[in-house]
């Protein structure tokens, strides 16, 4: 999923008062949920350094682009955007004004000094593991240095970032992301993550719990635990033991006010019994699981270095559904991986038909320089990839619509999280992550209300309130 909206920086939650804002920053975020989280935390650090958020490039003293390396030609798109910023910087300079430009995220990590070489407009390049150093890097840049910070540091960036204040958290919404794990040790042959995010690192239990408690105290009712390989999380507990994700979820479910827990993205090989049992036992753990498989062909899975077979995946799905029968699954699929034949692709289609997904993300394979897949023989023709992707997406779309139709008539708990497009409407998220539109009289943003699904739409569901809103008992209006 991509984000294409500014992420506004936050005021510090540290004991010392943040300096009065004297500078303005515009943050543009691309890519995954973790990039959204990273932008928020960079915002916290910048706010503590005297920056105030603005919603336009023209008003900013600093433009920060948080980049993603997953999409095809990601680096070239960043350079194109930097070219436009160079024109703006020249215009500002002619007026005697200074505009600073910083590039963060995975493209920054992958390109490093090359960005400085190719784009003179850039003052700071900072990787996803070093963004806690951003204020210091900007100070160096203001002294005329062009700064590249992409080394993987020995210190934990999370320990050095200011906590967001309760007021700032409220401006972000009733749902929040919380990074618990970063990096990946799987080395799938199509993926750049191990090279841009580094090895798997798990945050300690008490750090995660403390952040979750602050979120809940500020009115957040749903938290999504993030990691490139989140179910590989094994964090140190205060008891000295190494915990797994299933145990962490149980601990978080006990936090007062935190009513919903999700996590993403998972790898099938790390879906253990403790986590499956957490889905069975905890009503706070939502019945929605993103479990990428990428292909239904064992030959392609082996070439991808996924280290599981299609049968392994299907057996895992059966175990999960046995533990939580109402769970909805989503997945990731890559079509046209080097060497993929028509037979391999049909195996993927059969797997999709057997699993019956509620949603999925699908992509044409594109070469990522530096990954093993880039050097493989048998690169698939672009037209073939396009035809396969269209067929796969049509199948997924049918399954998504069918899942929505099966929800009609169900009574569900709905977390109201934003106004609807039309006056008098609110939008909430179902347990299965679907947007659901309901009359605004059902409750207030931040309430969890009981509704009955009555209709499906192209991109959302429609619902009506059910009887006395017992779901509101104990719920706090987010705006109160």
């Amino acid at each position: 999923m991509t984000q294409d909206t500014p992420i506004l920086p936050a005021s510090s939650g540290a004991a010392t008062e943040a300096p009065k804002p004297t500078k303005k920053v515009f943050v543009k975020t691309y890519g995954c949920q973790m990039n959204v989280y990273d932008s928020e935390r960079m915002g916290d650090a910048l706010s503590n350094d005297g920056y105030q958020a603005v919603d336009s490039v023209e008003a900013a003293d600093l433009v920060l682009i948080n980049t993603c390396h997953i999409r095809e030609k990601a680096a070239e798109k960043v350079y194109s955007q930097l070219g436009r910023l160079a024109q703006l910087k020249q215009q500002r300079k002619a007026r005697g004004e200074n505009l600073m430009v910083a590039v963060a995220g995975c493209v920054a990590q992958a390109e490093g000094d090359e960005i400085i070489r190719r784009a003179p407009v850039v003052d700071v390049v900072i990787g996803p593991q070093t963004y806690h150093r951003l204020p210091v890097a900007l100070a160096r840049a203001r002294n005329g240095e062009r700064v590249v910070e992409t080394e993987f540091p020995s210190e934990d960036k999370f320990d050095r970032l200011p906590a967001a204040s309760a007021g700032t958290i409220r401006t972000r919404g009733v749902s929040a992301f919380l990074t618990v794990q970063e990096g990946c040790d799987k080395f799938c042959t199509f993926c750049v993550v191990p090279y841009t995010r580094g090895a798997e690192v798990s945050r300690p239990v008490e750090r995660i719990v403390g952040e979750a408690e602050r979120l809940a105290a500020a009115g957040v009712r749903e938290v999504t635990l993030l990691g490139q390989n989140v179910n590989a999380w094994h964090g140190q507990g205060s008891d000295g033991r190494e915990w797994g994700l299933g145990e962490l979820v149980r601990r978080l479910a006990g936090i007062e006010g935190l009513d919903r827990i999700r996590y993403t993205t998972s790898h099938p090989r790390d879906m253990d019994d403790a986590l499956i049992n957490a889905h069975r036992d905890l009503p706070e753990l939502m019945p929605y699981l993103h479990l990428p498989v990428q292909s239904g062909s064992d030959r392609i899975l082996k070439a991808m270095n996924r280290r599981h077979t299609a049968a392994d995946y299907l057996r895992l799905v059966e175990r999960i559904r046995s533990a939580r029968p109402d769970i909805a699954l989503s997945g990731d699929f890559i079509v046209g991986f080097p060497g993929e034949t028509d037979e391999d692709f049909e195996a993927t289609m059969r797997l999709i038909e057997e699993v019956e997904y509620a949603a999925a993300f699908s992509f044409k394979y594109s070469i990522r320089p530096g990954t093993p897949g880039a050097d493989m023989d048998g690169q698939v023709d672009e037209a073939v990839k396009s035809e396969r992707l269209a067929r796969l997406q049509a199948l997924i779309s049918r399954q998504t619509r069918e899942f929505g139709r099966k929800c009609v008539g169900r009574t569900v708990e709905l977390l109201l999280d934003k106004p609807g497009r039309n006056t008098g409407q609110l939008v909430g998220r179902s347990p299965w992550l679907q947007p659901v539109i309901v009359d605004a009289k059902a409750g207030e943003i931040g309430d969890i209300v009981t509704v009955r699904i009555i209709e499906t739409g192209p991109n959302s569901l429609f619902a009506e309130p059910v009887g006395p809103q017992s779901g509101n008992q104990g719920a706090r209006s987010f705006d109160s």
Side-chain angles (χ1 to χ4, degrees):
M1 286 183 284
T2 59
Q3 298 290 327
D4 197 19
T5 53
I7 303 298
L8 305 184
S11 58
S12 171
T16 57
E17 185 177 343
K20 185 177 181 180
T22 58
K23 298 160 284 190
K24 296 179 174 64
V25 59
F26 175 84
V27 183
K28 189 78 167 180
T29 304
Y30 297 98
C32 64
Q33 297 98 323
M34 191 172 287
N35 263 19
V36 176
Y37 176 88
D38 286 350
S39 287
E40 290 174 348
R41 299 311 306 274
M42 282 189 281
D44 297 337
L46 288 170
S47 179
N48 205 45
D49 196 40
Y51 279 90
Q52 178 184 7
V54 292
D55 58 6
S56 72
V57 173
E58 290 74 15
D61 301 302
L62 166 66
V63 175
L64 174 62
I65 305 173
N66 194 8
T67 61
C68 173
H69 209 283
I70 294 299
R71 294 290 187 267
E72 187 175 8
K73 300 179 181 177
E76 293 306 315
K77 292 174 183 177
V78 170
Y79 289 121
S80 176
Q81 186 168 6
L82 291 174
R84 292 189 291 271
L85 285 175
Q87 297 176 21
L88 177 62
K89 192 167 188 174
Q90 282 295 111
Q91 294 167 6
R92 296 281 290 274
K93 185 176 181 180
R95 299 199 300 264
E97 301 169 355
N98 183 41
L99 174 66
M100 298 187 72
V101 176
V103 180
C106 291
V107 172
Q109 185 68 42
E111 296 286 304
D113 290 319
E114 181 69 4
I115 293 177
I116 292 291
R117 187 187 70 80
R118 287 185 56 179
V121 67
V122 176
D123 301 286
V124 172
V125 176
I126 198 154
Q129 304 305 326
T130 50
Y131 63 71
H132 57 295
R133 300 176 181 174
L134 181 57
V136 173
L138 290 170
R140 290 165 56 193
R142 283 191 289 270
N143 288 327
E145 184 179 352
R146 300 182 73 201
V147 181
V148 177
E149 282 274 11
T150 55
E151 294 296 321
F152 288 101
S154 58
E155 73 267 19
D156 184 349
K157 68 182 178 188
F158 297 105
D159 292 344
R160 286 160 174 77
L161 288 166
S165 68
T168 293
I169 294 170
R170 288 192 184 97
T171 68
R172 293 176 180 168
V174 297
S175 300
F177 296 129
L178 199 172
T179 292
V180 302
Q181 180 271 343
E182 285 194 279
C184 186
D185 295 341
K186 297 297 188 288
F187 287 92
C188 297
T189 55
F190 54 80
C191 187
V192 297
V193 165
Y195 312 102
T196 58
R197 290 275 182 171
E200 290 176 3
V201 176
S202 296
R203 295 180 69 187
V205 172
E206 294 310 313
R207 300 280 184 187
I208 296 167
V209 171
E211 188 170 341
E213 288 174 339
R214 289 192 295 273
L215 292 170
V220 169
R221 305 203 68 183
E222 177 180 280
V223 67
T224 299
L225 309 179
L226 298 180
Q228 268 85 33
N229 193 19
V230 68
N231 57 343
W233 177 88
H234 284 87
Q236 187 77 16
S238 58
D239 55 6
R241 294 188 302 107
E242 189 177 75
W243 292 26
L245 189 62
E247 190 171 4
L248 175 66
V249 170
R250 289 181 187 274
R251 173 67 181 85
L252 296 177
I255 295 175
E256 183 178 357
L258 192 60
D259 299 287
R260 291 181 162 200
I261 300 169
R262 304 181 188 274
Y263 61 91
T264 194
T265 291
S266 301
H267 195 289
R269 290 180 54 231
D270 293 307
M271 197 77 197
D272 61 17
D273 290 340
L275 187 52
I276 293 173
N277 291 340
H279 278 283
R280 179 194 64 195
D281 300 337
L282 299 176
E284 294 86 358
L285 185 54
M286 292 294 96
Y288 182 90
L289 175 61
H290 186 61
L291 192 65
V293 64
Q294 306 299 354
S295 175
S297 162
D298 288 347
R299 195 176 67 84
I300 296 300
L301 288 170
K302 184 176 181 180
M304 290 178 167
N305 194 36
R306 293 291 289 176
R307 289 180 280 182
H308 63 77
T309 65
D312 293 335
Y313 183 86
L314 292 171
R315 282 192 295 269
L316 177 59
V317 167
E318 185 178 359
R319 288 172 55 211
I320 294 166
R321 283 180 166 156
S322 177
R324 186 70 189 259
D326 66 335
I327 201 163
L329 293 178
S330 64
D332 287 347
F333 295 93
I334 295 173
V335 302
F337 188 79
E340 184 186 68
T341 64
D342 288 342
E343 182 179 357
D344 294 321
F345 175 70
E346 293 302 332
T348 300
M349 296 290 278
R350 287 194 298 273
L351 182 142
I352 293 171
E353 288 170 344
E354 184 164 351
V355 172
E356 296 183 347
Y357 290 92
F361 302 98
S362 51
F363 313 93
K364 292 187 290 185
Y365 172 76
S366 59
I367 290 174
R368 296 291 178 269
T371 62
D375 299 321
M376 288 183 177
D377 295 330
Q379 299 289 333
V380 177
D381 183 78
E382 198 66 25
V384 173
K385 287 192 283 189
S386 296
E387 187 273 335
R388 289 175 182 170
L389 182 64
R391 284 185 56 201
L392 186 147
Q393 290 181 337
L395 175 57
I396 291 292
S397 294
R398 288 197 299 273
Q399 292 188 346
T400 300
R401 291 194 299 271
E402 180 60 26
F403 181 78
R405 284 193 290 268
K406 288 179 179 178
C407 290
V408 174
R410 285 185 176 181
T411 298
V412 303
E413 299 296 303
L414 191 67
L415 172 60
L416 301 175
D417 63 0
K418 63 182 178 181
R421 183 174 297 176
N422 298 324
T423 303
Q425 292 180 338
L426 288 175
V427 179
R429 290 284 173 176
S430 77
W432 304 287
L433 207 59
Q434 303 142 305
V436 181
I437 299 169
V438 68
D439 192 290
K441 295 177 182 178
E444 300 180 35
I445 292 174
D447 288 344
I448 295 177
V449 299
T450 305
V451 301
R452 181 182 296 109
I453 308 299
I454 58 173
E455 187 181 350
T456 64
N459 301 302
S460 57
L461 304 176
F462 295 86
E464 61 183 8
V466 175
Q469 288 304 304
S470 60
N472 278 332
Q473 294 180 6
R476 296 155 294 165
S477 171
F478 191 72
D479 295 328
S480 63

